[in-house]
PDB file of all heavy atoms in Angstrom:
ATOM      1  N   THR A 189      83.796  38.170 180.978  1.00  0.00           N
ATOM      2  CA  THR A 189      82.532  38.600 180.375  1.00  0.00           C
ATOM      3  C   THR A 189      82.134  37.557 179.325  1.00  0.00           C
ATOM      4  O   THR A 189      82.670  36.458 179.309  1.00  0.00           O
ATOM      5  CB  THR A 189      82.686  39.998 179.743  1.00  0.00           C
ATOM      6  OG1 THR A 189      83.737  39.930 178.781  1.00  0.00           O
ATOM      7  CG2 THR A 189      83.018  41.048 180.785  1.00  0.00           C
ATOM      8  N   LEU A 219      89.148  40.460 183.298  1.00  0.00           N
ATOM      9  CA  LEU A 219      90.223  39.991 182.427  1.00  0.00           C
ATOM     10  C   LEU A 219      90.606  41.000 181.366  1.00  0.00           C
ATOM     11  O   LEU A 219      91.778  41.128 181.007  1.00  0.00           O
ATOM     12  CB  LEU A 219      89.769  38.732 181.686  1.00  0.00           C
ATOM     13  CG  LEU A 219      89.698  37.433 182.459  1.00  0.00           C
ATOM     14  CD1 LEU A 219      88.879  36.420 181.675  1.00  0.00           C
ATOM     15  CD2 LEU A 219      91.113  36.907 182.705  1.00  0.00           C
ATOM     16  N   ASP A 220      89.592  41.688 180.807  1.00  0.00           N
ATOM     17  CA  ASP A 220      89.884  42.411 179.563  1.00  0.00           C
ATOM     18  C   ASP A 220      88.906  43.551 179.310  1.00  0.00           C
ATOM     19  O   ASP A 220      87.868  43.660 179.956  1.00  0.00           O
ATOM     20  CB  ASP A 220      89.902  41.427 178.376  1.00  0.00           C
ATOM     21  CG  ASP A 220      88.802  40.376 178.463  1.00  0.00           C
ATOM     22  OD1 ASP A 220      87.797  40.620 179.139  1.00  0.00           O
ATOM     23  OD2 ASP A 220      88.960  39.308 177.860  1.00  0.00           O
ATOM     24  N   GLU A 221      89.272  44.391 178.363  1.00  0.00           N
ATOM     25  CA  GLU A 221      88.418  45.515 177.934  1.00  0.00           C
ATOM     26  C   GLU A 221      88.815  45.908 176.519  1.00  0.00           C
ATOM     27  O   GLU A 221      90.002  45.882 176.166  1.00  0.00           O
ATOM     28  CB  GLU A 221      88.583  46.708 178.876  1.00  0.00           C
ATOM     29  CG  GLU A 221      87.774  47.951 178.522  1.00  0.00           C
ATOM     30  CD  GLU A 221      86.256  47.733 178.509  1.00  0.00           C
ATOM     31  OE1 GLU A 221      85.767  47.144 177.516  1.00  0.00           O
ATOM     32  OE2 GLU A 221      85.580  48.163 179.464  1.00  0.00           O
ATOM     33  N   TYR A 222      87.820  46.240 175.706  1.00  0.00           N
ATOM     34  CA  TYR A 222      88.100  46.691 174.335  1.00  0.00           C
ATOM     35  C   TYR A 222      88.819  48.034 174.340  1.00  0.00           C
ATOM     36  O   TYR A 222      88.456  48.943 175.108  1.00  0.00           O
ATOM     37  CB  TYR A 222      86.797  46.860 173.551  1.00  0.00           C
ATOM     38  CG  TYR A 222      86.116  45.571 173.190  1.00  0.00           C
ATOM     39  CD1 TYR A 222      84.913  45.207 173.773  1.00  0.00           C
ATOM     40  CD2 TYR A 222      86.683  44.708 172.249  1.00  0.00           C
ATOM     41  CE1 TYR A 222      84.276  44.021 173.431  1.00  0.00           C
ATOM     42  CE2 TYR A 222      86.054  43.517 171.902  1.00  0.00           C
ATOM     43  CZ  TYR A 222      84.847  43.183 172.500  1.00  0.00           C
ATOM     44  OH  TYR A 222      84.239  42.009 172.158  1.00  0.00           O
ATOM     45  N   TYR A 233      83.176  46.303 178.259  1.00  0.00           N
ATOM     46  CA  TYR A 233      83.030  45.284 179.308  1.00  0.00           C
ATOM     47  C   TYR A 233      82.708  45.916 180.655  1.00  0.00           C
ATOM     48  O   TYR A 233      82.122  45.277 181.514  1.00  0.00           O
ATOM     49  CB  TYR A 233      84.278  44.404 179.346  1.00  0.00           C
ATOM     50  CG  TYR A 233      84.305  43.413 178.200  1.00  0.00           C
ATOM     51  CD1 TYR A 233      85.483  42.782 177.820  1.00  0.00           C
ATOM     52  CD2 TYR A 233      83.141  43.089 177.508  1.00  0.00           C
ATOM     53  CE1 TYR A 233      85.496  41.866 176.773  1.00  0.00           C
ATOM     54  CE2 TYR A 233      83.141  42.175 176.464  1.00  0.00           C
ATOM     55  CZ  TYR A 233      84.319  41.566 176.103  1.00  0.00           C
ATOM     56  OH  TYR A 233      84.322  40.652 175.080  1.00  0.00           O
ATOM     57  N   HIS A 291      91.050  31.011 173.151  1.00  0.00           N
ATOM     58  CA  HIS A 291      91.627  32.069 173.990  1.00  0.00           C
ATOM     59  C   HIS A 291      91.050  32.092 175.400  1.00  0.00           C
ATOM     60  O   HIS A 291      89.898  31.732 175.618  1.00  0.00           O
ATOM     61  CB  HIS A 291      91.514  33.450 173.323  1.00  0.00           C
ATOM     62  CG  HIS A 291      90.128  34.019 173.237  1.00  0.00           C
ATOM     63  ND1 HIS A 291      89.744  34.877 172.223  1.00  0.00           N
ATOM     64  CD2 HIS A 291      89.031  33.894 174.020  1.00  0.00           C
ATOM     65  CE1 HIS A 291      88.491  35.245 172.404  1.00  0.00           C
ATOM     66  NE2 HIS A 291      88.031  34.661 173.481  1.00  0.00           N
ATOM     67  N   ILE A 292      91.878  32.521 176.358  1.00  0.00           N
ATOM     68  CA  ILE A 292      91.411  32.885 177.698  1.00  0.00           C
ATOM     69  C   ILE A 292      91.725  34.375 177.839  1.00  0.00           C
ATOM     70  O   ILE A 292      92.780  34.834 177.399  1.00  0.00           O
ATOM     71  CB  ILE A 292      92.060  32.036 178.820  1.00  0.00           C
ATOM     72  CG1 ILE A 292      93.580  31.968 178.686  1.00  0.00           C
ATOM     73  CG2 ILE A 292      91.444  30.656 178.833  1.00  0.00           C
ATOM     74  CD1 ILE A 292      94.278  31.224 179.822  1.00  0.00           C
ATOM     75  N   GLY A 293      90.787  35.129 178.473  1.00  0.00           N
ATOM     76  CA  GLY A 293      90.884  36.566 178.326  1.00  0.00           C
ATOM     77  C   GLY A 293      90.867  36.822 176.827  1.00  0.00           C
ATOM     78  O   GLY A 293      90.108  36.200 176.085  1.00  0.00           O
ATOM     79  N   PHE A 294      91.705  37.727 176.369  1.00  0.00           N
ATOM     80  CA  PHE A 294      91.859  37.896 174.917  1.00  0.00           C
ATOM     81  C   PHE A 294      93.261  37.454 174.506  1.00  0.00           C
ATOM     82  O   PHE A 294      93.888  38.063 173.633  1.00  0.00           O
ATOM     83  CB  PHE A 294      91.588  39.335 174.504  1.00  0.00           C
ATOM     84  CG  PHE A 294      90.137  39.636 174.233  1.00  0.00           C
ATOM     85  CD1 PHE A 294      89.550  40.797 174.711  1.00  0.00           C
ATOM     86  CD2 PHE A 294      89.344  38.778 173.472  1.00  0.00           C
ATOM     87  CE1 PHE A 294      88.217  41.102 174.450  1.00  0.00           C
ATOM     88  CE2 PHE A 294      88.012  39.069 173.202  1.00  0.00           C
ATOM     89  CZ  PHE A 294      87.445  40.232 173.695  1.00  0.00           C
ATOM     90  N   ASN A 295      93.748  36.400 175.142  1.00  0.00           N
ATOM     91  CA  ASN A 295      95.061  35.860 174.767  1.00  0.00           C
ATOM     92  C   ASN A 295      94.886  34.956 173.554  1.00  0.00           C
ATOM     93  O   ASN A 295      94.624  33.758 173.671  1.00  0.00           O
ATOM     94  CB  ASN A 295      95.677  35.124 175.958  1.00  0.00           C
ATOM     95  CG  ASN A 295      96.057  36.086 177.056  1.00  0.00           C
ATOM     96  OD1 ASN A 295      97.044  36.818 176.920  1.00  0.00           O
ATOM     97  ND2 ASN A 295      95.247  36.141 178.111  1.00  0.00           N
ATOM     98  N   GLU A 296      95.019  35.582 172.415  1.00  0.00           N
ATOM     99  CA  GLU A 296      94.777  34.915 171.147  1.00  0.00           C
ATOM    100  C   GLU A 296      95.910  33.929 170.837  1.00  0.00           C
ATOM    101  O   GLU A 296      96.958  33.972 171.493  1.00  0.00           O
ATOM    102  CB  GLU A 296      94.677  35.976 170.045  1.00  0.00           C
ATOM    103  CG  GLU A 296      93.583  37.011 170.265  1.00  0.00           C
ATOM    104  CD  GLU A 296      92.163  36.464 170.103  1.00  0.00           C
ATOM    105  OE1 GLU A 296      91.925  35.286 170.425  1.00  0.00           O
ATOM    106  OE2 GLU A 296      91.303  37.230 169.640  1.00  0.00           O
ATOM    107  N   SER A 299      99.843  33.778 171.781  1.00  0.00           N
ATOM    108  CA  SER A 299     100.177  34.642 172.924  1.00  0.00           C
ATOM    109  C   SER A 299     101.176  33.885 173.792  1.00  0.00           C
ATOM    110  O   SER A 299     100.998  32.697 174.067  1.00  0.00           O
ATOM    111  CB  SER A 299      98.937  34.924 173.777  1.00  0.00           C
ATOM    112  OG  SER A 299      98.060  35.799 173.134  1.00  0.00           O
ATOM    113  N   ARG A 306      98.379  43.566 178.672  1.00  0.00           N
ATOM    114  CA  ARG A 306      98.894  44.333 177.524  1.00  0.00           C
ATOM    115  C   ARG A 306      97.791  44.500 176.477  1.00  0.00           C
ATOM    116  O   ARG A 306      96.743  43.864 176.586  1.00  0.00           O
ATOM    117  CB  ARG A 306     100.072  43.589 176.879  1.00  0.00           C
ATOM    118  CG  ARG A 306      99.601  42.315 176.176  1.00  0.00           C
ATOM    119  CD  ARG A 306     100.638  41.249 176.193  1.00  0.00           C
ATOM    120  NE  ARG A 306     100.193  40.049 175.487  1.00  0.00           N
ATOM    121  CZ  ARG A 306      99.266  39.201 175.917  1.00  0.00           C
ATOM    122  NH1 ARG A 306      98.549  39.439 176.995  1.00  0.00           N
ATOM    123  NH2 ARG A 306      98.986  38.115 175.218  1.00  0.00           N
ATOM    124  N   LYS A 308      96.319  43.699 172.835  1.00  0.00           N
ATOM    125  CA  LYS A 308      96.424  42.521 171.968  1.00  0.00           C
ATOM    126  C   LYS A 308      95.492  42.683 170.773  1.00  0.00           C
ATOM    127  O   LYS A 308      94.334  43.098 170.941  1.00  0.00           O
ATOM    128  CB  LYS A 308      96.012  41.288 172.794  1.00  0.00           C
ATOM    129  CG  LYS A 308      96.277  39.973 172.130  1.00  0.00           C
ATOM    130  CD  LYS A 308      97.732  39.583 172.207  1.00  0.00           C
ATOM    131  CE  LYS A 308      98.044  38.499 171.183  1.00  0.00           C
ATOM    132  NZ  LYS A 308      99.471  38.334 170.969  1.00  0.00           N
ATOM    133  N   ALA A 309      95.972  42.361 169.595  1.00  0.00           N
ATOM    134  CA  ALA A 309      95.119  42.375 168.404  1.00  0.00           C
ATOM    135  C   ALA A 309      94.247  41.117 168.396  1.00  0.00           C
ATOM    136  O   ALA A 309      94.722  40.028 168.736  1.00  0.00           O
ATOM    137  CB  ALA A 309      95.988  42.424 167.155  1.00  0.00           C
ATOM    138  N   LEU A 310      92.978  41.276 168.036  1.00  0.00           N
ATOM    139  CA  LEU A 310      92.035  40.157 168.076  1.00  0.00           C
ATOM    140  C   LEU A 310      92.030  39.396 166.753  1.00  0.00           C
ATOM    141  O   LEU A 310      92.197  39.989 165.685  1.00  0.00           O
ATOM    142  CB  LEU A 310      90.633  40.681 168.403  1.00  0.00           C
ATOM    143  CG  LEU A 310      90.582  41.512 169.702  1.00  0.00           C
ATOM    144  CD1 LEU A 310      89.191  42.094 169.928  1.00  0.00           C
ATOM    145  CD2 LEU A 310      91.019  40.672 170.897  1.00  0.00           C
ATOM    146  N   THR A 314      87.773  35.559 166.741  1.00  0.00           N
ATOM    147  CA  THR A 314      87.174  36.349 167.823  1.00  0.00           C
ATOM    148  C   THR A 314      86.254  37.411 167.244  1.00  0.00           C
ATOM    149  O   THR A 314      85.190  37.709 167.805  1.00  0.00           O
ATOM    150  CB  THR A 314      88.285  36.984 168.690  1.00  0.00           C
ATOM    151  OG1 THR A 314      89.036  35.914 169.273  1.00  0.00           O
ATOM    152  CG2 THR A 314      87.731  37.871 169.780  1.00  0.00           C
ATOM    153  N   GLN A 317      83.097  35.700 166.489  1.00  0.00           N
ATOM    154  CA  GLN A 317      82.373  35.363 167.728  1.00  0.00           C
ATOM    155  C   GLN A 317      81.706  36.588 168.344  1.00  0.00           C
ATOM    156  O   GLN A 317      80.572  36.520 168.815  1.00  0.00           O
ATOM    157  CB  GLN A 317      83.353  34.739 168.734  1.00  0.00           C
ATOM    158  CG  GLN A 317      82.699  34.314 170.059  1.00  0.00           C
ATOM    159  CD  GLN A 317      83.707  33.953 171.146  1.00  0.00           C
ATOM    160  OE1 GLN A 317      84.256  32.855 171.143  1.00  0.00           O
ATOM    161  NE2 GLN A 317      83.939  34.860 172.080  1.00  0.00           N
ATOM    162  N   ASN A 318      82.400  37.728 168.373  1.00  0.00           N
ATOM    163  CA  ASN A 318      81.931  38.865 169.169  1.00  0.00           C
ATOM    164  C   ASN A 318      81.301  40.010 168.383  1.00  0.00           C
ATOM    165  O   ASN A 318      80.598  40.835 168.972  1.00  0.00           O
ATOM    166  CB  ASN A 318      83.088  39.436 170.005  1.00  0.00           C
ATOM    167  CG  ASN A 318      83.467  38.503 171.147  1.00  0.00           C
ATOM    168  OD1 ASN A 318      82.956  37.399 171.236  1.00  0.00           O
ATOM    169  ND2 ASN A 318      84.361  38.946 172.005  1.00  0.00           N
ATOM    170  N   MET A 328      83.151  46.810 165.834  1.00  0.00           N
ATOM    171  CA  MET A 328      83.866  46.112 166.917  1.00  0.00           C
ATOM    172  C   MET A 328      85.351  46.469 166.877  1.00  0.00           C
ATOM    173  O   MET A 328      85.986  46.373 165.831  1.00  0.00           O
ATOM    174  CB  MET A 328      83.709  44.598 166.763  1.00  0.00           C
ATOM    175  CG  MET A 328      84.496  43.828 167.813  1.00  0.00           C
ATOM    176  SD  MET A 328      84.327  42.041 167.623  1.00  0.00           S
ATOM    177  CE  MET A 328      85.932  41.509 168.206  1.00  0.00           C
ATOM    178  N   ARG A 331      91.235  45.569 168.751  1.00  0.00           N
ATOM    179  CA  ARG A 331      92.277  45.373 169.762  1.00  0.00           C
ATOM    180  C   ARG A 331      91.639  45.486 171.145  1.00  0.00           C
ATOM    181  O   ARG A 331      90.591  46.114 171.305  1.00  0.00           O
ATOM    182  CB  ARG A 331      93.387  46.420 169.598  1.00  0.00           C
ATOM    183  CG  ARG A 331      94.053  46.339 168.245  1.00  0.00           C
ATOM    184  CD  ARG A 331      94.983  47.502 167.960  1.00  0.00           C
ATOM    185  NE  ARG A 331      96.193  47.452 168.759  1.00  0.00           N
ATOM    186  CZ  ARG A 331      96.522  48.356 169.668  1.00  0.00           C
ATOM    187  NH1 ARG A 331      95.739  49.389 169.895  1.00  0.00           N
ATOM    188  NH2 ARG A 331      97.644  48.249 170.347  1.00  0.00           N
ATOM    189  N   ALA A 332      92.297  44.883 172.116  1.00  0.00           N
ATOM    190  CA  ALA A 332      91.777  44.929 173.488  1.00  0.00           C
ATOM    191  C   ALA A 332      92.939  44.847 174.468  1.00  0.00           C
ATOM    192  O   ALA A 332      94.006  44.327 174.139  1.00  0.00           O
ATOM    193  CB  ALA A 332      90.827  43.756 173.730  1.00  0.00           C
ATOM    194  N   PHE A 333      92.700  45.381 175.671  1.00  0.00           N
ATOM    195  CA  PHE A 333      93.618  45.090 176.771  1.00  0.00           C
ATOM    196  C   PHE A 333      93.209  43.753 177.364  1.00  0.00           C
ATOM    197  O   PHE A 333      92.009  43.481 177.517  1.00  0.00           O
ATOM    198  CB  PHE A 333      93.509  46.145 177.881  1.00  0.00           C
ATOM    199  CG  PHE A 333      94.139  47.457 177.535  1.00  0.00           C
ATOM    200  CD1 PHE A 333      93.361  48.601 177.405  1.00  0.00           C
ATOM    201  CD2 PHE A 333      95.512  47.557 177.366  1.00  0.00           C
ATOM    202  CE1 PHE A 333      93.948  49.822 177.091  1.00  0.00           C
ATOM    203  CE2 PHE A 333      96.107  48.775 177.059  1.00  0.00           C
ATOM    204  CZ  PHE A 333      95.321  49.906 176.916  1.00  0.00           C
ATOM    205  N   THR A 334      94.182  42.946 177.703  1.00  0.00           N
ATOM    206  CA  THR A 334      93.866  41.686 178.377  1.00  0.00           C
ATOM    207  C   THR A 334      94.941  41.326 179.386  1.00  0.00           C
ATOM    208  O   THR A 334      96.129  41.594 179.154  1.00  0.00           O
ATOM    209  CB  THR A 334      93.704  40.530 177.352  1.00  0.00           C
ATOM    210  OG1 THR A 334      93.403  39.312 178.068  1.00  0.00           O
ATOM    211  CG2 THR A 334      94.955  40.289 176.506  1.00  0.00           C
ATOM    212  N   MET A 335      94.499  40.761 180.509  1.00  0.00           N
ATOM    213  CA  MET A 335      95.492  40.122 181.380  1.00  0.00           C
ATOM    214  C   MET A 335      96.260  39.126 180.516  1.00  0.00           C
ATOM    215  O   MET A 335      95.699  38.526 179.587  1.00  0.00           O
ATOM    216  CB  MET A 335      94.795  39.303 182.480  1.00  0.00           C
ATOM    217  CG  MET A 335      94.247  40.066 183.636  1.00  0.00           C
ATOM    218  SD  MET A 335      93.673  38.841 184.874  1.00  0.00           S
ATOM    219  CE  MET A 335      92.510  39.825 185.783  1.00  0.00           C
ATOM    220  N   ILE A 340      97.061  35.386 184.488  1.00  0.00           N
ATOM    221  CA  ILE A 340      95.971  34.466 184.839  1.00  0.00           C
ATOM    222  C   ILE A 340      96.505  33.295 185.660  1.00  0.00           C
ATOM    223  O   ILE A 340      95.911  32.894 186.665  1.00  0.00           O
ATOM    224  CB  ILE A 340      95.255  33.978 183.553  1.00  0.00           C
ATOM    225  CG1 ILE A 340      94.516  35.148 182.886  1.00  0.00           C
ATOM    226  CG2 ILE A 340      94.314  32.819 183.848  1.00  0.00           C
ATOM    227  CD1 ILE A 340      94.019  34.864 181.477  1.00  0.00           C
ATOM    228  N   THR A 372      95.402  29.012 174.092  1.00  0.00           N
ATOM    229  CA  THR A 372      95.937  29.473 175.382  1.00  0.00           C
ATOM    230  C   THR A 372      95.172  28.883 176.575  1.00  0.00           C
ATOM    231  O   THR A 372      95.717  28.816 177.675  1.00  0.00           O
ATOM    232  CB  THR A 372      96.006  31.013 175.465  1.00  0.00           C
ATOM    233  OG1 THR A 372      94.710  31.564 175.219  1.00  0.00           O
ATOM    234  CG2 THR A 372      97.010  31.578 174.474  1.00  0.00           C
TER     235      THR A 372
END
Side-chain angles (χ1 to χ4, degrees):
T189 58
L219 286 164
D220 40 23
E221 179 61 283
Y222 289 111
Y233 284 162
H291 70 209
I292 49 176
F294 273 136
N295 291 287
E296 302 290 33
S299 288
R306 70 211 182 288
K308 190 78 197 165
L310 305 176
T314 298
Q317 181 191 281
N318 288 7
M328 177 181 148
R331 300 170 71 244
F333 286 115
T334 180
M335 282 187 202
I340 293 168
T372 56

